Amino acid sequence: MNLPVLALNLALAIAIAPLLDGLRRKITARLQNRVGPPLTQSWHDIIKLLRKETVLPEGAGLMLRVLPALMLMLSLAMFAMIATVTVQSPMDEGGIIFIELAVLSAFMFAIAGGMSGNPYGVVGGSREAILATLVEPSIIVSLTALLLFKGSLTLDDASRSLAFGGTLVVAAVAYLLSLLVESGRVPFDVAEAESELTGGYLIEFSGPPLAMLKLGQFIRATAMYSVPKLFLTALIPVGVTGDAFSIAVTALYMVSILLCTLLVSMAESLNARYRLLEASKFYAVVLIFSLLALVIAFYAPGWR
Amino acid sequence: MYQALLALPAFAYLVNRRAARLLLVAVQAFLLVLHAAGFYPMQLQQILVIVVSLILLLDPASNPPLIALIALIGVTPLPGILPLIAMTLLLVIALSARKSHGRAGLYAIVALSLTLILEYSGYPYAGASLVLMLVGAFPFQKWLTDLYSNYKSAGILVAFTAVIYLNENLVAYASVAQLLLFLGAFTTIVGVFQCMISRRFADFLSTIHQITFGILLVSASVVELDALFYYLLLPAALSLTVINSVHDGLGEKTGEGMFGFGGLSSSMRVEAASVLATYMVLFSLVSMVAEVLMRIGVEGSIGFTLLGCAMLFSAAASLAAFFRGYTLIFEGPSKSGVTPGGSLRLAVALVSAGDLLLALVPAWSLIVLSLASGGKPLEFESLNVLLLVMLVAASLSAAIMGGAKPVKFKSWMGGYAGVGDLQGSKGEIFTSWREIFKLVYDFKSPDDGVSGAMERANPLIILAFVAALAIVGVMI
């Protein structure tokens, strides 16, 4: 474990994750011919919440109290696995644990809603659980296919590999489509009931716990946006080594998170809303893509 | 020869229950003394079976003859002439006990006895019926739930004995390793699905049993997972046994079932700690095995990779279902306002702390035991990171939530569901699971029909049928 890099990574996560959310809101507003909030708006929201008092429902149990911090820590742990502005990530391993943390944190939101005892919270949590149930298998399989293709379980080795092939393309498509669902935005959103349904799981949280949940959500999204860097490294020419390679990888990281932010904003602005259970056909297609990537990785060496 | 003494308490039970319990404790203590004195050397697994059965006897609801019989099978070396004598005794006792002890325990005994016969006759797949029944795989699921409903402690000991038996006889199953692997993964995943919709503690325990067995079967067919068995599964099974026995005893003392007093009093958090601890053991098991399978899978097996992915997803998804049920039952405003006194409060705190400590056993045992045995510690990155994350999160929460202000929302908030409400409705997430996986849950297995037919059949007829199969198998 590289502690200085870990500290740098975590500081970066806390700094840029709310800014990326601000960027998403700005792009969405521009696409809808609005001015939109400033880029730092999400930061202001979090600071405001941190200054407020904490109010809990009567009889709030242990899990409701621990969950916001747990959510934040899970997201930070995800970010700790990724090489951001350095070529090497702070943790030596990271492939499987990154997948596990991603899936666990997705279900944590569902738990948060169910635990508050509030009917809106329960409905919102239930909705999150359905979404996670439908989309997380695709995330797991597509990321596993990617690691298989790169021939290593460590994210560092995977990002150093410049290999390109059919698995990479199919896994990338599946992962990016899954990201749209993960983001929880339109077409998988309910704009008319934002706080009751889509954000229902947050309804009983306030003050610093809510700030932690929101920050955790932003950091998790940024960590997920970082993964496409592993697909993009295939674009680096084979002869590039040393400092030039480091600069290229860092640049691709920036491209990756900005590209994903743009993709989610555009999907949010340019699509009509799906009904939740209708969207299952979409998820089925995404899962098929993921499985296809895995099958190619194992059985079609020519396509790899 | 000495282990035949274990049959005595079973006979004594027909005359006097209290005497049977005391006799069983005495016989087991005698066996341990004989071992210590060097007259009757036992292997570690055999000692463990005796220790577990002694722990189970703490539970007043336990059934001494069942425990004695299963312990007997657990400590009997295979193959040998003694198993045949023991088997005869078992059948006699089982048939005698039939009227008063129901069929579930009876079938467990018959399955174990059959395994002994088949083993002795050299039948290649001797453990097949035992495995199917003890795993609770189709078509035996109903039996397992029955076993946990009526004889929970016996169920745990059966599980433990079967775990040891199977591991001792791994070589015998080498030819069906792939089948075991499939069955293990299938059983584990079915167990997780059932766990999500379980509404009785008996169901919850039987699904945990299924999951543990599924993992065992997976580990039985993969050489690389041998350390997992010794350093993880055995400690996990032991910690589960202790947790469940202590809480069975508590439930008996207070006259309330597992879902009873935990949900009715905000102060009695013992049951909540027990259920949480049990789940943590389960979660550790499933996520560690998922990681191992994925590591093996990446080396070149799509089957292992997919199994690992499925287990990883099942572990994470079970979190949502478990905590939904846990919150409904154990958290929220008190329904009865029972306020225990100082000494009871201390006892509650101690038992809860003990439970949660036991829940960490599987998480650390793998590292500690592998180090203690002089081997290289097996590294499980996910579990280490998760433990660290939970530790930091708990500290952070304690710091922030210390000054939290509780507010009542009774005017519009329904509050938490009570036990009756939970049993009357499925709960949102459970309903969603049923909707999403409608095809899976709607699948009508002939479980009930087959189990019903088997229950109506005389155990001796079943025994004769399987013995005939064994003879045919040996002839072929």
Side-chain angles (χ1 to χ4, degrees):
Chain A
M1 186 191 294
N2 190 334
L3 278 178
V5 178
L6 178 65
L8 178 71
N9 243 24
L10 298 185
L12 200 68
I14 294 170
I16 67 167
L19 283 180
L20 271 187
D21 188 63
L23 179 64
R24 179 194 60 75
R25 290 163 78 173
K26 195 77 179 170
I27 295 172
T28 307
R30 290 290 187 194
L31 288 170
Q32 294 170 351
N33 286 330
R34 291 186 287 114
V35 177
L39 282 178
T40 52
Q41 184 59 50
S42 300
W43 252 119
H44 292 304
D45 292 346
I46 286 173
I47 291 169
K48 180 185 74 181
L49 286 170
L50 285 173
R51 287 178 179 159
K52 286 183 171 283
E53 68 171 343
T54 304
V55 176
L56 283 172
E58 186 201 22
L62 178 73
M63 292 310 296
L64 195 72
R65 291 166 191 267
V66 173
L67 208 106
L70 194 59
M71 187 65 221
L72 179 62
M73 294 312 301
L74 280 174
S75 305
L76 284 172
M78 273 176 79
F79 214 85
M81 306 292 154
I82 300 163
T84 51
V85 290
T86 53
V87 176
Q88 187 133 13
S89 72
M91 312 292 273
D92 298 331
E93 297 286 328
I96 295 176
I97 180 64
F98 182 85
I99 299 173
E100 183 154 9
L101 290 172
V103 181
L104 277 180
S105 52
F107 280 101
M108 281 289 168
F109 284 117
I111 295 169
M115 279 183 174
S116 66
N118 186 307
Y120 289 124
V122 172
V123 174
S126 178
R127 191 176 181 281
E128 284 297 312
I130 297 173
L131 281 175
T133 304
L134 292 170
V135 78
E136 293 311 319
S138 309
I139 298 264
I140 296 173
V141 177
S142 59
L143 283 179
T144 308
L146 169 71
L147 292 175
L148 272 168
F149 175 74
K150 297 278 187 173
S152 170
L153 284 179
T154 62
L155 290 175
D156 279 350
D157 288 346
S159 69
R160 284 195 198 98
S161 164
L162 307 181
F164 180 79
T167 303
L168 200 67
V169 175
V170 181
V173 170
Y175 184 79
L176 289 175
L177 289 174
S178 306
L179 262 192
L180 295 181
V181 188
E182 278 269 315
S183 68
R185 301 285 156 194
V186 173
F188 307 96
D189 188 10
V190 189
E192 298 80 8
E194 181 73 35
S195 53
E196 293 87 354
L197 291 180
T198 317
Y201 59 89
L202 298 173
I203 208 159
E204 286 293 359
F205 294 95
S206 60
L210 183 57
M212 282 194 285
L213 273 172
K214 280 191 173 287
L215 190 59
Q217 210 173 12
F218 297 153
I219 293 173
R220 182 178 184 279
T222 311
M224 298 298 282
Y225 294 172
S226 309
V227 173
K229 180 187 83 170
L230 304 178
F231 300 110
L232 292 173
T233 48
L235 299 174
I236 300 175
V238 176
V240 177
T241 53
D243 288 345
F245 182 79
S246 305
I247 293 168
V249 169
T250 307
L252 284 176
Y253 170 74
M254 301 306 288
V255 169
S256 174
I257 56 173
L258 291 173
L259 197 69
C260 287
T261 309
L262 182 67
L263 188 72
V264 169
S265 308
M266 288 181 67
E268 184 180 3
S269 302
L270 305 177
N271 283 290
R273 182 171 77 80
Y274 276 164
R275 277 185 63 201
L276 190 61
L277 291 177
E278 278 176 359
S280 56
K281 290 172 191 164
F282 178 84
Y283 307 124
V285 172
V286 178
L287 184 59
I288 289 169
F289 264 99
S290 311
L291 289 170
L292 188 63
L294 198 65
V295 171
I296 292 172
F298 271 107
Y299 294 118
W303 264 73
R304 291 178 69 182
Chain B
M1 183 66 193
Y2 289 114
Q3 63 265 46
L5 291 171
L6 282 166
L8 293 177
F11 288 117
Y13 188 78
L14 298 173
V15 182
N16 186 311
R17 295 183 181 198
R18 183 180 287 271
R21 188 177 296 274
L22 290 174
L23 193 57
L24 184 52
V25 173
V27 169
Q28 285 173 328
F30 180 61
L31 285 178
L32 289 177
V33 169
L34 284 179
H35 169 74
F39 290 112
Y40 177 53
M42 287 189 286
Q43 292 179 337
L44 177 66
Q45 294 90 326
Q46 292 171 308
I47 297 169
L48 282 175
V49 167
I50 290 187
V51 172
V52 172
S53 53
L54 275 172
I55 295 169
L56 291 173
L57 281 169
L58 293 174
D59 174 10
S62 62
N63 190 323
L66 280 179
I67 291 179
L69 296 176
I70 298 159
L72 172 60
I73 292 166
V75 299
T76 302
L78 291 171
I81 192 70
L82 191 66
L84 272 184
I85 302 166
M87 181 273 305
T88 312
L89 285 173
L90 293 178
L91 279 178
V92 170
I93 297 165
L95 290 171
S96 310
R98 179 179 159 184
K99 283 179 188 168
S100 54
H101 302 307
R103 287 188 181 271
L106 187 65
Y107 279 119
I109 297 166
V110 170
L112 285 164
S113 313
L114 279 174
T115 307
L116 286 177
I117 296 177
L118 299 179
E119 181 77 34
Y120 188 72
S121 62
Y123 190 64
Y125 307 129
S129 63
L130 176 70
V131 170
L132 281 175
M133 179 165 176
L134 296 182
V135 163
F138 163 80
F140 300 104
Q141 201 171 308
K142 189 164 175 277
W143 293 353
L144 194 68
T145 308
D146 287 347
L147 188 63
Y148 273 99
S149 301
N150 301 315
Y151 310 107
K152 195 191 302 169
S153 50
I156 294 166
L157 191 58
V158 165
F160 196 78
T161 308
V163 163
I164 288 168
Y165 173 83
L166 286 172
N167 192 257
E168 287 289 296
N169 295 280
L170 281 186
V171 181
Y173 305 107
S175 56
V176 283
Q178 292 299 319
L179 186 66
L180 283 179
L181 179 68
F182 171 77
L183 185 65
F186 180 73
T187 304
T188 307
I189 292 165
V190 167
V192 173
F193 270 75
Q194 291 295 331
C195 195
M196 288 180 186
I197 57 166
S198 59
R199 283 185 283 156
R200 291 187 306 138
F201 198 70
D203 297 334
F204 181 65
L205 269 182
S206 67
T207 54
I208 285 176
H209 180 115
Q210 258 183 292
I211 292 165
T212 312
F213 262 95
I215 292 169
L216 171 85
L217 288 181
V218 170
S219 69
S221 50
V222 183
V223 178
E224 291 91 328
L225 299 185
D226 204 35
L228 200 70
F229 174 82
Y230 283 108
Y231 302 148
L232 173 68
L233 271 175
L234 280 186
L238 266 177
S239 52
L240 279 175
T241 304
V242 175
I243 290 170
N244 289 318
S245 299
V246 170
H247 288 275
D248 266 2
L250 277 173
E252 192 71 21
K253 290 271 182 211
T254 55
E256 292 280 3
M258 181 58 87
F259 277 167
F261 65 76
L264 294 175
S265 166
S266 61
S267 302
M268 294 291 280
R269 295 294 186 206
V270 183
E271 296 312 308
S274 158
V275 173
L276 187 62
T278 307
Y279 179 74
M280 282 168 73
V281 172
L282 172 74
F283 181 79
S284 309
L285 282 175
V286 178
S287 48
M288 276 200 263
V289 174
E291 187 178 329
V292 171
L293 287 176
M294 285 181 82
R295 279 176 190 278
I296 297 171
V298 171
E299 301 294 323
S301 162
I302 192 169
F304 280 128
T305 309
L306 283 172
L307 280 178
C309 290
M311 280 204 184
L312 193 64
F313 173 74
S314 301
S318 72
L319 268 179
F322 172 79
F323 280 110
R324 172 75 178 133
Y326 177 86
T327 311
L328 278 173
I329 299 160
F330 293 114
E331 295 194 339
S334 168
K335 298 283 179 191
S336 67
V338 175
T339 311
S343 58
L344 185 56
R345 192 182 290 273
L346 179 67
V348 166
L350 285 175
V351 177
S352 307
D355 278 343
L356 296 176
L357 205 62
L358 278 170
L360 293 178
V361 166
W364 294 111
S365 66
L366 207 64
I367 298 164
V368 173
L369 289 178
S370 52
L371 273 176
S373 65
K376 185 174 175 274
L378 290 168
E379 287 179 7
F380 282 89
E381 56 176 25
S382 57
L383 206 69
N384 295 339
V385 171
L386 283 178
L387 282 173
L388 190 66
V389 163
M390 284 174 71
L391 198 68
V392 177
S395 314
L396 195 60
S397 309
I400 289 175
M401 294 293 195
K405 180 182 171 188
V407 174
K408 293 184 180 182
F409 289 117
K410 279 186 178 168
S411 58
W412 60 278
M413 189 175 135
Y416 294 81
V419 180
D421 297 338
L422 181 79
Q423 284 169 350
S425 67
K426 292 167 190 164
E428 280 295 327
I429 287 177
F430 302 154
T431 312
S432 305
W433 267 88
R434 278 188 187 275
E435 270 177 34
I436 296 162
F437 299 104
K438 200 168 181 299
L439 277 177
V440 178
Y441 283 115
D442 282 357
F443 176 71
K444 296 283 180 205
S445 74
D447 186 16
D448 284 353
V450 174
S451 297
M454 294 291 274
E455 279 172 18
R456 283 191 295 278
N458 189 308
L460 280 178
I461 295 174
I462 301 171
L463 179 64
F465 178 70
V466 182
L469 275 184
I471 292 164
V472 171
V474 171
M475 286 170 69
I476 290 171

